Amino acid sequence: MQVKTLAQLAAAGRLAGRRVFIRSDLNVPQDDAGNITEDTRIRASVPAIELALSAGAAVMVTSHLGRPAEGEFRPADSLAPVAQRLSQLLGRPVPLVRDWIDGVTVAPGAVVLLENCRINRGEKKNSDELARRMAALCDVYVNDAFGTAHRAEATTHGMAKFAPVACAGPLLAAEIEALGKALGAPKRPLVAIVAGAKVSTKLTILNNLAARVDQLIVGGGIANTFLLAQGVPIGKSLAEPDLVPECRKIMATLAAKGGTLPLPIDVVVAREFKADAVPRVCAAGDVHPDEMILDIGPSSALALVHLLREAGTIVWNGPIGVFEFDAFAEGTRQMALAIAGATADGAFSIAGGGDTLAAIAKYHIADRISYISTGGGAFLEFLEGRTLPAIEVLQQRARD
């Protein structure tokens, strides 16, 4: 996935005195009083801004925040708290500009934050008229918002078509490189972990990965449906019996190419879904009718650890059990540590998805994963094999 990058333009001296427009992802969570409760996305946006500033550019930054109604400004939708936090992180004032479509005044070496881009009429529909007007504000357009790369909107796609130069910021460039490394030309064996409540929500991912990977590990309710497909009783565990035929097709796809889908040989069960439920370890085929599977058992975890430690590339999306409850967290813990260990031994690992990030934080292995995707929906759509519009247009512009 070849694209121009902001770093390349800076190194070539092509940013000095230029108007640089950066589309960041500053969509951070806030409490009822509007205070930012978690600023990871703001901190992740800083390298692109600092790179452009250090190269002598006049920098404009914008992002969406929440779900504002187009054409209607409400204080609750304002990027004002983001401007304040960005000022602290950059150590310089970051003025917030509210009405910016018709022109922005910013000097080389300075930065301004442009108010919530989704307030502009035509943003979400990717209006060419709006995109042209915004593209006229800059000499260089930078997309550094991988979290919105799966959406074709005026600031994520349209502007890239019409700006004189369009490129990827460091955050987006890193995502493109990591995803390409994981699935484009992976070091083998390639192992993918896909876990979650329902096969139906990740069926496209499972089908796409089955055609690519050497081993496909499934967990959670997804694994329960695959167990059903093999005729294994699962008691009252969460599953989707109507998708058993799809699971069998996925297993057939893997088998036809020499791949495997290792299912649990033992499991941890309980009669209730709650933190203080009494756990019981049993063989996968010995689940009672009134029990539900909430984690893999120790023998399954050991087999999983051995498989992961032999991997060349690991793609991780989802915890293997109900890791929020300590009694049913051991499978996910063992898996997380095995991925970290494989990475230390030279494997390339990439992880993404909200629950996955929570597990990484719980087991303190963030610095032992090769790349942690910030993408959310964009990460999942990439795993589905879909073309991400914001990246596709940058690829097209790279050929200009």
Side-chain angles (χ1 to χ4, degrees):
M1 292 185 284
Q2 295 297 315
V3 299
K4 292 178 182 175
T5 69
L6 184 65
Q8 291 169 343
L9 296 178
R14 296 177 59 186
L15 299 182
R18 301 292 181 89
R19 300 169 300 157
V20 173
F21 186 109
I22 303 176
R23 173 50 159 103
S24 296
D25 183 3
L26 307 173
N27 186 31
V28 291
Q30 296 171 279
D31 61 21
D32 292 341
N35 300 306
I36 295 169
T37 56
E38 210 284 322
D39 69 349
T40 297
R41 288 177 174 170
I42 301 177
R43 288 184 282 110
S45 74
V46 167
I49 299 168
E50 290 184 331
L51 179 59
L53 288 171
S54 65
V59 182
M60 297 163 274
V61 183
T62 196
S63 172
H64 70 288
L65 180 67
R67 301 176 183 273
E70 289 190 359
E72 299 178 21
F73 177 81
R74 299 182 308 154
D77 299 321
S78 177
L79 290 175
V82 175
Q84 181 179 8
R85 181 62 181 135
L86 203 51
S87 298
Q88 294 169 347
L89 292 169
L90 291 171
R92 63 167 70 210
V94 180
L96 180 65
V97 180
R98 178 169 165 182
D99 299 311
W100 51 272
I101 296 298
D102 294 320
V104 179
T105 300
V106 56
V111 57
V112 295
L113 182 63
L114 309 180
E115 190 58 275
N116 196 328
C117 59
R118 283 196 184 157
I119 294 172
N120 301 316
R121 293 189 184 278
E123 167 66 17
K124 294 192 72 173
K125 292 185 177 180
N126 197 20
S127 161
D128 275 359
E129 179 185 358
L130 176 63
R132 287 182 186 276
R133 291 174 66 188
M134 294 190 294
L137 299 175
C138 67
D139 303 301
V140 177
Y141 163 82
V142 183
N143 190 331
D144 205 34
F146 179 73
T148 63
H150 58 310
R151 298 190 180 103
E153 299 180 351
T155 57
T156 64
H157 182 269
M159 283 188 73
K161 292 192 298 183
F162 303 121
V165 177
C167 69
L171 183 62
L172 181 60
E175 292 272 0
I176 292 172
E177 180 181 1
L179 292 168
K181 190 173 181 180
L183 293 180
K187 179 182 176 183
R188 301 282 177 172
L190 169 58
V191 180
I193 301 153
V194 180
K198 295 182 178 181
V199 171
S200 55
T201 60
K202 294 187 177 179
L203 182 59
T204 307
I205 294 174
L206 291 165
N207 278 311
N208 182 51
L209 291 178
R212 293 170 174 259
V213 305
D214 300 297
Q215 286 96 28
L216 178 60
I217 298 167
V218 291
I222 292 175
N224 297 338
T225 305
F226 275 91
L227 285 170
L228 272 184
Q230 289 199 332
V232 177
I234 61 169
K236 61 177 183 178
S237 304
L238 176 66
E240 295 174 289
D242 57 321
L243 288 177
V244 161
E246 294 295 335
C247 292
R248 289 177 177 151
K249 289 178 185 177
I250 291 167
M251 289 189 285
T253 298
L254 278 160
K257 58 188 286 295
T260 60
L261 193 151
L263 286 170
I265 54 178
D266 61 345
V267 293
V268 184
V269 299
R271 288 187 169 85
E272 298 175 282
F273 185 86
K274 60 181 185 179
D276 60 353
V278 178
R280 182 177 80 91
V281 178
C282 65
D286 292 336
V287 179
H288 297 164
D290 63 343
E291 293 176 324
M292 62 187 79
I293 300 169
L294 299 180
D295 194 13
I296 60 173
S299 296
S300 299
L302 183 62
L304 196 60
V305 167
H306 284 308
L307 189 154
L308 290 168
R309 291 303 296 262
E310 296 297 320
T313 304
I314 302 168
V315 179
W316 178 18
N317 175 239
I320 212 77
V322 186
F323 78 103
E324 299 92 339
F325 301 160
D326 288 343
F328 309 102
E330 185 61 16
T332 299
R333 188 185 77 85
Q334 294 272 12
M335 181 181 70
L337 295 178
I339 294 170
T343 305
D345 290 341
F348 178 79
S349 56
I350 181 169
D355 288 341
T356 311
L357 302 189
I360 288 171
K362 180 172 182 175
Y363 301 118
H364 309 290
I365 59 167
D367 59 342
R368 297 159 68 191
I369 302 294
S370 303
Y371 193 82
I372 298 174
S373 175
T374 60
F379 178 75
L380 294 179
E381 290 203 11
F382 184 88
L383 295 186
E384 289 176 356
R386 297 189 189 186
T387 298
L388 303 185
I391 294 177
E392 183 181 35
V393 69
L394 291 181
Q395 291 176 290
Q396 293 169 350
R397 290 302 309 275
R399 296 189 287 267
D400 291 351

